[in-house]
Amino acid sequence: RTRRNDGRASVRHNKRDTQYENRCQRFVEVAQELFLERGFAGASVNEVVRRAGGSLATLYAEFGTKDDLFEAVMKRRAAMMFADIINSKFQAPDMSTELLQLAQRLQTHMLSDDALALHRLVVHEGPKFPSVRKALLINGLKGFLQRLGEYFAALEECGRMEIDDPSVAADLFVTLVQGQLRTIAACGDAHRLTRRLRESHVKRAVEVFLRIYPTSTEKRKQT
């Protein structure tokens, strides 16, 4: 009887843990919607709880402050962004094609409505709220660049590319893909970014990147 009771208690405990995790995830999802809708200053944790359900005590117990909640949003976005972009590692027939696919997915994310809204939020409110700057630059951008650097390190390790510093390569790749397109779109001129222009831009970005970091095949040809 004791063992059966212990088993039931364990099931109840695991169920509570799952419910708690789901509730916290829901807080982050709703917080992201609210931040993008109202900005950092205009969003409130009370509204997050009202929309997500649960209690203010649970939100504060997990995240502490609105600043911490925004940080959690940025961490989640960085993780999801990386998962969406690096979703077919080492499956392209050649390195140029793989990098082009990677660049296209990265560009699509950068020019999405949510990403542009977040970019505008940080540019507008970052100077007033240090926590907003920190959340984007440390937990968002830095986190993504670190994981992208790991991807390039793996390419170098398996002999597909010649990359001396994967972290520098990651930063350069993002810079080349972004170019001026995100600024143009964030300023409200997204209609100028035709499909042909976007495709041409990522193609040039990959070509430039490969001149700096040639594939192992190209390196052998040069020697």
Side-chain angles (χ1 to χ4, degrees):
R1 181 179 297 178
T2 300
R3 290 176 181 173
R4 283 200 297 270
N5 288 341
D6 289 345
R8 290 172 184 171
S10 178
V11 169
R12 288 195 298 270
H13 179 72
N14 291 336
K15 185 177 180 180
R16 286 196 299 270
D17 287 347
T18 300
Q19 290 174 338
Y20 183 82
E21 290 174 4
N22 291 340
R23 177 63 61 199
C24 291
Q25 181 177 337
R26 180 61 181 159
F27 282 148
V28 175
E29 292 171 353
V30 171
Q32 175 174 297
E33 296 172 1
L34 199 58
F35 285 131
L36 294 178
E37 177 187 321
R38 299 186 181 179
F40 181 80
S44 72
V45 291
N46 287 316
E47 181 64 13
V48 172
V49 171
R50 190 189 71 79
R51 294 188 185 186
S55 69
L56 196 59
T58 300
L59 186 147
Y60 278 129
E62 179 64 22
F63 301 105
T65 66
K66 184 170 74 169
D67 293 3
D68 296 325
L69 185 57
F70 188 78
E71 183 176 321
V73 168
M74 295 309 303
K75 286 181 178 178
R76 178 176 179 270
R77 283 186 63 87
M80 292 181 65
M81 178 181 173
F82 186 84
D84 289 343
I85 291 172
I86 309 293
N87 58 14
S88 57
K89 189 182 291 186
F90 305 152
Q91 293 182 5
D94 59 81
M95 202 64 250
S96 178
T97 301
E98 183 168 322
L99 290 177
L100 185 60
Q101 293 172 353
L102 171 64
Q104 289 169 336
R105 292 193 292 268
L106 179 57
Q107 184 192 74
T108 297
H109 172 84
M110 286 179 172
L111 299 180
S112 68
D113 291 341
D114 279 2
L116 290 173
L118 184 62
H119 178 69
R120 295 185 188 104
L121 183 158
V122 174
V123 169
H124 176 65
E125 301 191 71
K128 295 180 288 185
F129 299 102
S131 59
V132 172
R133 297 197 302 274
K134 175 187 173 184
L136 175 71
L137 298 177
I138 303 300
N139 297 296
L141 181 60
K142 185 176 179 179
F144 174 77
L145 288 174
Q146 180 178 347
R147 300 186 72 176
L148 186 60
E150 293 169 359
Y151 164 76
F152 285 125
L155 292 178
E156 202 282 332
E157 185 176 349
C158 71
R160 297 189 73 194
M161 294 193 72
E162 299 284 338
I163 299 177
D164 54 349
D165 191 329
S167 62
V168 173
D171 185 73
L172 178 62
F173 188 81
V174 171
T175 300
L176 288 171
V177 173
Q178 177 178 293
Q180 300 301 316
L181 302 191
R182 185 170 67 167
T183 300
I184 292 171
C187 288
D189 274 1
H191 63 277
R192 290 171 48 192
L193 308 180
T194 64
R195 179 177 177 180
R196 182 177 179 180
L197 187 151
R198 295 196 306 270
E199 290 176 350
S200 175
H201 179 85
V202 293
K203 183 179 179 181
R204 287 197 306 272
V206 170
E207 288 173 351
V208 171
F209 186 79
L210 286 174
R211 290 194 195 109
I212 302 170
Y213 301 104
T215 65
S216 297
T217 301
E218 289 298 321
K219 191 74 172 179
R220 286 193 293 270
K221 287 180 181 178
Q222 294 171 10
T223 57

